[in-house]
Amino acid sequence: MITIFNRRELVTTYSMENQANIREILKSNKIDYRLKTITKNSRIRGNITIIGQNINQAYEYIFYVHKKDLEYARSYIK
């Protein structure tokens, strides 16, 4: 079981495609993980965006694994 006390950050990405690939890699290698998604700008509503905002960086995806699995998981994530 992964808790805040025994987890380590594996990788952070802003790409939804990269996030999906990482999830698939971890799942196929039976590595337990937690995914935290952060909305970088909560003022986005529907199709209205703030001028100058990079849509590709609107979400941040942070992967955590158990500290004992960190090096094992890193060997699969390049």
Side-chain angles (χ1 to χ4, degrees):
M1 181 171 148
I2 297 176
T3 68
I4 195 168
F5 302 109
N6 67 13
R7 73 183 186 185
R8 297 294 181 263
E9 185 175 324
L10 174 63
V11 66
T12 299
T13 184
Y14 293 95
S15 165
M16 183 180 288
E17 293 83 18
N18 195 22
Q19 174 258 136
N21 290 336
I22 293 169
R23 281 189 301 125
E24 187 59 37
I25 290 169
L26 294 174
K27 182 179 175 184
S28 66
N29 290 290
K30 299 179 181 171
I31 300 172
D32 192 21
Y33 68 93
R34 296 293 174 264
L35 176 61
K36 181 177 182 179
T37 303
I38 300 172
T39 304
K40 299 303 276 183
N41 190 341
S42 62
R43 293 182 285 179
I44 299 172
R45 297 287 188 256
N47 291 330
I48 301 171
T49 58
I50 296 172
I51 296 173
Q53 178 186 3
N54 186 347
I55 297 297
N56 295 327
Q57 293 189 354
Y59 296 96
E60 180 178 12
Y61 305 99
I62 306 171
F63 285 86
Y64 296 98
V65 296
H66 194 284
K67 63 183 177 182
K68 69 177 176 60
D69 295 328
L70 183 60
E71 292 305 318
Y72 179 65
R74 280 185 179 163
S75 69
Y76 289 102
I77 307 298
K78 301 292 179 191

